[in-house]
Amino acid sequence: MSVIQISKKYILKVFDLKEEELPKTLLLQLNIFIIITTLLIVKPTINSLFLSELTADALPLGYILTAVMAVIGSYFYNKALEKYPLNIIIDRTLIGSVISLVLFSIALNFNLAVGPLLYIPYVWVAIFGLLTASQFWILANLVYNAREAKRVFGFIGAGAIAGGIFGGYLTSILTNFLNTEDLLFVAGALLAICIPITRYIWKNEVVKLNTFQVAFRSDPKTDSPFKLIKQSKLLKLIAIVIGISVLIAKLVDYQYSDYASRLIENQEELTSFFGFWFSTLSVISLLIQLFLTQRIVGTFGVGKSLLWLPSGILIGSILLLIIPQLWVIVFIKVVDGSLKQSVNKAATELLSIPIPIDIKKKTKTFTDVVVDSIATGLAGFILIFFINGLEIASTYISLIIIVLITIWLYFIYHLRKEYIISFKKLLEISPEKKEKTTKKDIKVTSIIDTVIRVLKEGNDNQVLHMLQKTLEVKDERFFTAIKSQLNNPSSKIRALVIDNLYFLRTENLSAQIETMIHDTDQQVTTVAFRYLLKHYNKNTEELFNKYLYSDDKTIANAALVGLSLELRNNQLLQHRFSLEDKIKTALTQYSELTSQDDKNHKILAILEAIGNAKVERYYDILKTQLKSDNLEILNMAILSASKTLDIQFLDTIISYLSGKDTRKNAIEALTFYGEPIIDILAEKIKSETIELEDANYAILVIEHFASQKAINTLIKLTSDTEHTIKIEAIEALRRLKWKHNNLQIKDQFIVDKILDECHLYQNTLAVIHSQIVIRYKSKNQTEESQDIDEARKGLINLLELRLDRQLQRIFRFLGIKYPPNDVDSILNTILKGKEEQRILAIEFLENILDNQLKKELIPVAESILIGIRSEENLKKLNLKVLSEIECYSELLKRKDLKLKLAVLYLIEKSNDPKFNPLLELILITDNNPKIKKNIKEILKGASATTS
């Protein structure tokens, strides 16, 4: 065996990688290594040039400019992401960065970048570091699914650590041979290597993903992370603690830069000094992370572990006031840089255990970018006031740091208290479980101890909660406690335990897990197979062949499903395990089975395997079973079709929304497609390309996402759609508004919609009044006019029903702006109450409405009291009398199929050519095939009569 093969085998084993993942993983690791190496060359270089020319007095303004540009840049960057594909943006960022580095080097060599112009490269470096690293991890998330990412990101991240170590030391060495300005050429040349690497990765790993897969692997977008943070006290405290730590870090950085630039006057030596200590900080941070972090956090708990960083800086700051020397500020910088990325980071991540994973994802960018930028800008203002304004020495910034550390410690204390409260809430039993489960009070002390205690002593509900949380953090310290639940009576817990153990490497449990293949629950059996596929020490192909062709049909089915889950999105492994052949064999077995139960179980496993592994060769099997008469098989086919994330199955899945027995699975299937399904469903609803009954339930799919995008889409669906769709959309908006306070529905939108509905209500009253007048004026009761009269009566009755629907919509919209219970109670009283109660209800409504709504809505409410059955009552409302053509024109423009058909029926009975121009216009503008067909028949009949 060659050295390369031995190294390869070692890497695969130690870093938990699969052989087929190695090439792309190494490329991504090389990519981040080069990016961080470049940053660690550019940063000390620009810093030394900036300080040599402008001195540390210019740093405060630099901090403020960096903060402002980060926020502005973030805004325009998000706009660019909406307009251009991600690969184009990454490509242009890298090319632009290489060009910028070359131009900076030329400008500095020819003394073109002097004085205030040096702020440009200084700010650029900060944005470059933030942007390129962010883009890299977005790209990496597209290359791997969530399960793969948990395994490989640690190995890829090692490339960033290596770059942090190599880059600074390389800079320190290169200053002996090159001028500081020329180091930027070196950085540009290095960064240029990332361009072909990124293009190759995108071409070979990302291009093949469809819209739904990209959305699945991307972080969820949210328009109001600030509201999410504001609603959670724990998130607020975490954001504050992070902000204070960044603020203090910037003040320390100022002291560090000031001392270094005053004591080291030679530019090359200053660059070498910065480069050396940047890398040394990375080395110290790595050593602490490897050998001390787990011990510190495990021994002292998360709350006390958070004290290490502020305590270290506090000791250094006090020491600096006594001994104002460079080595002291270097010590403070080392404490800040090393503990922040090791102990402090690990403790903060554990603190977020009680926070739901989707909330963490939605708020992460805000805390990383916005909180950081605000703290950086604030540091700049503090320094301008004290250094530039009061002209105090940088040494005495330590006094400000000491005050800020006191505030920092205060918030850490409250953060720990809030964490304990949140953790206790996490352990609370849901209401529907309380009767069945005995509540266990578990003392919350340190995070690690509490998690372990819950896993060992908690009731089933608490253990389930905790296993879902440990699945997010993947911490080896929980291994023993998790393992202890392997034989739990609950199949849900057993399955989740194996899911957790899949990612942990403290001990290989293949022998024990293999026995669980015979578990009575197929979910447990399936996850057991997934575990074995990853951890089995011997030949996994032989193992799976053994069970795939087992006489025990349940085990054979579970083996196929487990294999398909593990091979999802991995064509190489699918080929290696001959998955398509195994499905073909399973289909052959299916055809040979005689027992109907066995046949059903086999086809269910086959369908699940096709969907899990996205085996296109057998999509016809899915299509066939999507027409199955067996409800269980049909529902499995619906879910499996969605797991392919293939757009070709969408229309079929949508068609099952209206079915009572398939609705739940159809909704689940459509939501599996992710947020891109929102736009597709909205377009189909708007264009009326899906059945009305299906469209009504499609609203529930959109509502499920509970995002700002869902809100905005539902708002659009309240206009120019059928009444039932409008009602469903309004109801969905009501539920989302009162359940999710972070989602925004503008008051003006609600007011505008209520006013529109009020005008429509008044317009409908006017049409009814006009039709009654026209009917009254018809004096000749011939046989023909009798048909017309009956058609007109039918239209008037339908319009009266439409008034009820419009009133319903008005009050549903009111329920978004005002508490729904109050609004529903008022409507119910107005419609069904006694006369005195109805008057009081209208008075109450008048009291809660603002002036704009009061003016339009109260007359509508009063019209209900008056009644519209007689012309005399209608006259009291001072309604405009419309001509017959105006009435029909108004009604035919509405999105109301039944109403339009009633109008066309009346026109047909009238057989009057004066309506032909109106019919010809509607024939052009209306997209509904039923309406078009009806109009053509009327026009054809009119033409025949004329001839």
Side-chain angles (χ1 to χ4, degrees), residues 20-29 31 86-87 90 135-153 156 197-209 213-218 568-571 614:
E20 60 280 353
E21 293 172 340
L22 195 57
K24 63 184 179 184
T25 305
L26 288 173
L27 274 176
L28 282 165
Q29 190 185 60
N31 202 4
L86 180 63
N87 64 314
I90 294 175
Q135 287 179 343
F136 170 82
W137 288 113
I138 291 171
L139 177 64
N141 273 297
L142 291 175
V143 173
Y144 301 98
N145 62 38
R147 202 174 184 90
E148 293 165 339
K150 282 185 180 181
R151 288 188 295 101
V152 303
F153 276 13
I156 293 171
I197 293 174
T198 303
R199 288 176 179 175
Y200 177 85
I201 291 167
W202 188 272
K203 182 181 176 183
N204 290 278
E205 301 296 335
V206 183
V207 166
K208 59 189 177 185
L209 303 176
Q213 289 171 304
V214 170
F216 223 76
R217 298 183 181 193
S218 303
R568 183 174 175 85
N569 300 319
N570 196 321
Q571 294 297 323
K614 298 191 289 187

Side-chain angles (χ1 to χ4, degrees), residues 567-590:
L567 305 188
R568 183 174 175 85
N569 300 319
N570 196 321
Q571 294 297 323
L572 287 171
L573 265 185
Q574 285 186 25
H575 181 71
R576 179 181 147 197
F577 279 87
S578 306
L579 183 63
E580 288 189 3
D581 291 339
K582 286 177 170 58
I583 292 174
K584 184 179 179 182
T585 304
L587 284 166
T588 304
Q589 291 171 346
Y590 167 74

Side-chain angles (χ1 to χ4, degrees), residues 511-538:
Q512 188 174 347
I513 299 293
E514 190 174 353
T515 63
M516 299 184 75
I517 284 169
H518 302 277
D519 196 281
T520 52
D521 185 87
Q522 188 164 329
Q523 179 62 26
V524 174
T525 309
T526 302
V527 293
F529 275 118
R530 293 193 77 175
Y531 181 93
L532 290 172
L533 188 62
K534 179 174 179 287
H535 293 277
Y536 196 65
N537 288 328
K538 298 174 187 176

Side-chain angles (χ1 to χ4, degrees), residues 326-359:
L326 181 59
W327 69 265
V328 179
I329 194 64
V330 168
F331 165 78
I332 299 172
K333 185 71 175 173
V334 167
V335 168
D336 178 59
S338 58
L339 290 179
K340 182 179 287 183
Q341 295 304 318
S342 52
V343 176
N344 209 66
K345 185 179 179 182
T348 305
E349 284 175 357
L350 285 170
L351 271 174
S352 63
I353 283 178
I355 301 166
I357 186 69
D358 59 322
I359 301 293

Side-chain angles (χ1 to χ4, degrees), residues 407-568:
I407 298 169
W408 190 0
L409 293 172
Y410 168 82
F411 280 107
I412 287 174
Y413 169 75
H414 283 280
L415 176 57
R416 184 178 179 278
K417 281 179 65 178
E418 182 57 31
Y419 159 76
I420 291 171
I421 293 168
S422 300
F423 210 105
K424 283 181 177 176
K425 286 179 183 175
L426 181 69
L427 301 179
E428 284 178 5
I429 303 163
S430 56
E432 65 271 19
K433 301 274 184 179
K434 280 187 178 177
E435 291 179 8
K436 299 179 182 179
T437 314
T438 305
K439 183 172 179 179
K440 291 189 179 181
D441 290 321
I442 293 175
K443 187 180 177 183
V444 179
T445 52
S446 73
I447 289 182
I448 307 298
D449 288 344
T450 306
V451 170
I452 292 169
R453 198 178 296 116
V454 170
L455 289 172
K456 288 184 175 180
E457 302 171 13
N459 58 45
D460 283 0
N461 198 46
Q462 291 169 336
V463 172
L464 270 172
H465 270 299
M466 196 52 63
L467 286 170
Q468 287 160 356
K469 292 297 177 181
T470 55
L471 197 57
E472 295 169 16
V473 295
K474 200 182 105 176
D475 196 311
E476 297 290 341
R477 286 169 291 181
F478 303 139
F479 178 87
T480 305
I482 292 170
K483 179 188 170 185
S484 69
Q485 291 289 343
L486 261 178
N487 297 315
N488 191 291
S490 166
S491 59
K492 285 183 180 179
I493 289 177
R494 292 198 301 277
L496 205 48
V497 164
I498 299 172
D499 236 351
N500 271 267
L501 293 172
Y502 176 95
F503 295 104
L504 303 177
R505 294 183 295 150
T506 300
E507 182 186 347
N508 191 323
L509 298 173
S510 293
Q512 188 174 347
I513 299 293
E514 190 174 353
T515 63
M516 299 184 75
I517 284 169
H518 302 277
D519 196 281
T520 52
D521 185 87
Q522 188 164 329
Q523 179 62 26
V524 174
T525 309
T526 302
V527 293
F529 275 118
R530 293 193 77 175
Y531 181 93
L532 290 172
L533 188 62
K534 179 174 179 287
H535 293 277
Y536 196 65
N537 288 328
K538 298 174 187 176
N539 191 316
T540 48
E541 291 166 64
E542 286 182 10
L543 175 79
F544 269 81
N545 286 334
K546 169 185 166 185
Y547 288 111
L548 278 166
Y549 305 117
S550 168
D551 292 335
D552 188 326
K553 296 177 181 63
T554 303
I555 288 177
N557 293 339
L560 183 63
V561 173
L563 187 65
S564 67
L565 278 166
E566 195 63 17
L567 305 188
R568 183 174 175 85

